Amino acid sequence: MFKLVDWAENPFDDRYADKRIRNEPLVEITQIKGTSETHPALSDSDEWADFEIMPFRVATNLPSEPKGSYARDALLNGLALQDKGISNPYKFGFIGSSDTHTGATSDDESNYFSKVGLLDSNGILRGAVPITGEAAARVKEAGRVNIVEVDGSDYVTGAFETWGASGLAAVWAEENTREAIYDAFRRKETFATSGPRMKLRFFAGYGFDEAFLNDRAMIANVYAQGVPMGSDLLAGDEAPSFIVWGIQDPRSAKLQRLQIVKGWTTDGEHHEQVYDVACSDGGTINAQTHRCEDNGASVDLADCSITANVGAAELKTTWADPDFDPAHRAFYYARLLENPTCRWSTWDALRAGSKPRSDLKATIQERAWSSPIWFIPGSE
Amino acid sequence: MFLTSLKSHLFWFLAVGFFIFWIDASLNGDQDEIVVDEAVIARIKSLWQTQMKRETNSDELENLLAKWIEEEILYREAQKLGLANDDYIIRRRLVQKLNFIAEQSASKEPDKEVLAAYYLDHAQTYHVEARYSFAQIYFRTHQAARRISAQLQEPGVDTSSLGEAGMFPSEYSKRTGRELAGVFGDALASALKSLQPGEHWQGPLQSEFGWHWIRMDTYIAPHLPALETTRQRVLSDYQFQWADVQAGGLG
């Protein structure tokens, strides 16, 4: 997906890189066949990296290779290429999409019908509910579908149970016209969500403070004095400041935390850090771990109900990078996390009266990702 | 010799046989002859025009004709071999073609009374949800929202500098309750139902995000629109359903 050589195995040059980013300004970071932000093997310090990962290559049972398959890694490789004096082919923004083949979007955990129609149209076929009796015997005999035993029950297994109820593409456009929306795609002023219709804003500039943040005219001012998601921020005389702002989908769960993911390279070496920047319920951020206090939100797996009166409708803050180094190329993107809710496979099991499979995640944290902002050091 | 021949069965057999062959040949011409006439050329040109949105040039036409001739040869050979017999795809295609013809014959306009009766029978489908057009001023806390209540009583008050910045536009036009529930939550969406249209500010009403003063500019009640305003949609639904019935009868 995000290779570092062209079709003939030649390493990238400026010509290829420029052409690639001109033609592919956006990446689908999430869809029903899994989420491609990052992989736990690539981002071992990101506790949210293991999210709706499909571990197979498309339409096979072959394991997929994390390197070269995930967006954050590609963003870092783009910076590493720049360290070598080559254009950045991976300076892309994020969108999500459904990728269902049924003509309908299946991005709601509690109302999930998967992707391909007959093959995965119910909980048994997509491996969330045990297959029993005659059906199990028939499937085993036919040998066309793999069966796995989990917790003493037989389940259909393959890729279906690793798929997710995701995702959406969102744009910040001046008006609801095709031209304005495509312009927003082109300038990467986009964000992706794993299904819910949360809204996410992300800006960078210099000297943003509380008063600036809370001004009635903040949006007009920040476009005049800063840059939105998808843009370059050129080096200034001081360290940059960021504005990040998310609101919940009123039909989905409350928000738990707002994060900024930073990636940077030093002579080609990858570095990344996830910072919590705003916490729900008045939680404070630990300055060493950069993590919010636990807000105590949980899910009752007996009926998928969630903790009441925990979480925020809105999270909004200014932020400065505590580890900022003006010499390093870096990217920053925002990630907005909901409180945990039941995964679709848990809803399937609950409705069928069976137990959720212990080898699948029972709950997930729905999220949104903004397109990155790239910091461009002064010498460039 | 000639007379003897006339009496020979073999002679008459050959003579009659030749005569039948001659009639057949002159009526049917050469079976293996492919004629590219004006009608064929016109059909090929028009198909190209539909697909490519322009005329063919002479090279393209030559290629298309060569392809057509090759296809015609293969088609005739396939027919001779009886490949169309007992073929499920060809069978389905013929049924489909007949259905298309049936549907086309259904696309004639029904009588006025017939369409009106159909419209009333399916009123539920064409029922229009309530729609709200309003302006809103947003505050995060009830206390902050209450602070401007006196100011909002003044006639012609300029509200452009009132309220806090939220991720919502200050005006909404012709939105349904369902859409608004997706933006503000169910509580505010259902509270809107009780507001009276007018120039006065009402509220503050609570949403998932805080408190909102609302000026309900217009409210369109749920209703069944006059048939004239939605005629095109009703007509195509009627024709679609009619065609479906016809196709069902045939298929």
Side-chain angles (χ1 to χ4, degrees), chain A residues 127-169:
Chain A
V129 174
I131 184 165
T132 52
E134 213 181 298
R138 227 176 23 238
V139 165
K140 275 181 185 168
E141 196 182 349
R144 296 278 297 276
V145 174
N146 293 326
I147 301 277
V148 66
E149 196 188 313
V150 183
D151 314 321
S153 298
D154 285 338
Y155 289 91
V156 169
T157 190
F160 294 154
E161 70 268 34
T162 69
W163 290 357
S166 200
L168 290 177

Side-chain angles (χ1 to χ4, degrees), chain A residues 283-306:
Chain A
T284 54
I285 302 165
N286 181 314
Q288 262 75 54
T289 62
H290 306 295
R291 289 291 171 266
C292 287
E293 286 173 80
D294 183 2
N295 73 351
S298 67
V299 181
D300 183 350
L301 294 181
D303 58 4
C304 282
S305 62
I306 56 177

Side-chain angles (χ1 to χ4, degrees), chain A residues 172 199-201 215-218 245-251 254 313-314 316, chain B residues 138 140 160-168 178 181-185 208-209:
Chain A
W172 289 108
K199 298 190 183 87
L200 182 57
R201 286 284 204 183
D215 193 305
R216 254 187 69 81
M218 187 274 275
W245 183 11
I247 64 170
Q248 74 162 125
D249 174 351
R251 292 176 191 276
K254 294 273 183 212
E314 177 181 40
K316 183 182 182 187
Chain B
Y138 168 63
R140 284 178 179 75
S160 60
S161 64
L162 297 178
E164 298 168 12
M167 263 200 229
F168 325 99
R178 214 152 27 124
V183 177
F184 296 107
E208 290 288 327
F209 304 101

Side-chain angles (χ1 to χ4, degrees), chain A residues 90-256:
Chain A
Y90 296 133
K91 202 170 176 183
F92 48 68
F94 299 146
I95 55 162
S97 300
S98 69
D99 195 52
T100 51
H101 290 194
T102 57
T105 306
S106 187
D107 61 3
D108 180 352
E109 305 293 332
S110 66
N111 181 23
Y112 180 71
F113 43 88
S114 198
K115 173 187 160 78
V116 289
L118 282 178
L119 295 176
D120 57 358
S121 58
N122 66 47
I124 294 173
L125 291 173
R126 52 184 177 252
V129 174
I131 184 165
T132 52
E134 213 181 298
R138 227 176 23 238
V139 165
K140 275 181 185 168
E141 196 182 349
R144 296 278 297 276
V145 174
N146 293 326
I147 301 277
V148 66
E149 196 188 313
V150 183
D151 314 321
S153 298
D154 285 338
Y155 289 91
V156 169
T157 190
F160 294 154
E161 70 268 34
T162 69
W163 290 357
S166 200
L168 290 177
V171 302
W172 289 108
E174 295 87 344
E175 54 183 29
N176 190 11
T177 61
R178 194 169 292 180
E179 288 77 11
I181 292 169
Y182 271 81
D183 285 349
F185 283 150
R186 239 329 136 189
R187 65 175 185 269
K188 302 176 274 204
E189 200 173 348
T190 59
F191 62 97
T193 91
S194 59
R197 290 165 190 270
M198 58 249 276
K199 298 190 183 87
L200 182 57
R201 286 284 204 183
F202 186 45
F203 298 95
Y206 295 95
F208 301 148
D209 56 15
E210 279 294 302
F212 186 94
L213 180 69
N214 294 318
D215 193 305
R216 254 187 69 81
M218 187 274 275
I219 290 295
N221 295 341
V222 79
Y223 274 103
Q225 297 174 41
V227 296
M229 55 180 72
S231 310
D232 285 350
L233 179 70
L234 301 179
D237 298 332
E238 49 181 312
S241 54
F242 294 85
I243 284 177
V244 53
W245 183 11
I247 64 170
Q248 74 162 125
D249 174 351
R251 292 176 191 276
S252 192
K254 294 273 183 212
L255 305 173
Q256 187 189 67

Side-chain angles (χ1 to χ4, degrees), chain A residues 48-118:
Chain A
W48 292 268
D50 188 8
F51 178 73
E52 299 298 70
I53 302 283
M54 183 177 94
F56 308 111
R57 293 184 216 176
V58 172
T60 70
N61 289 327
L62 302 169
S64 73
E65 161 67 39
K67 269 200 179 308
S69 303
Y70 290 86
R72 193 188 295 171
D73 184 49
L75 290 171
L76 285 163
N77 277 329
L79 298 184
L81 282 171
Q82 285 188 290
D83 289 343
K84 287 197 267 180
I86 297 164
S87 286
N88 184 348
Y90 296 133
K91 202 170 176 183
F92 48 68
F94 299 146
I95 55 162
S97 300
S98 69
D99 195 52
T100 51
H101 290 194
T102 57
T105 306
S106 187
D107 61 3
D108 180 352
E109 305 293 332
S110 66
N111 181 23
Y112 180 71
F113 43 88
S114 198
K115 173 187 160 78
V116 289
L118 282 178

Side-chain angles (χ1 to χ4, degrees), chain A residues 288-343:
Chain A
Q288 262 75 54
T289 62
H290 306 295
R291 289 291 171 266
C292 287
E293 286 173 80
D294 183 2
N295 73 351
S298 67
V299 181
D300 183 350
L301 294 181
D303 58 4
C304 282
S305 62
I306 56 177
T307 319
N309 304 318
V310 172
E314 177 181 40
L315 291 170
K316 183 182 182 187
T317 190
T318 59
W319 183 73
D321 174 2
D323 307 308
F324 179 70
D325 184 334
H328 294 154
R329 279 186 200 86
F331 63 80
Y332 298 86
Y333 65 86
R335 190 167 69 182
L336 180 61
L337 290 159
E338 278 187 4
N339 280 335
T341 46
C342 273
R343 187 174 186 263

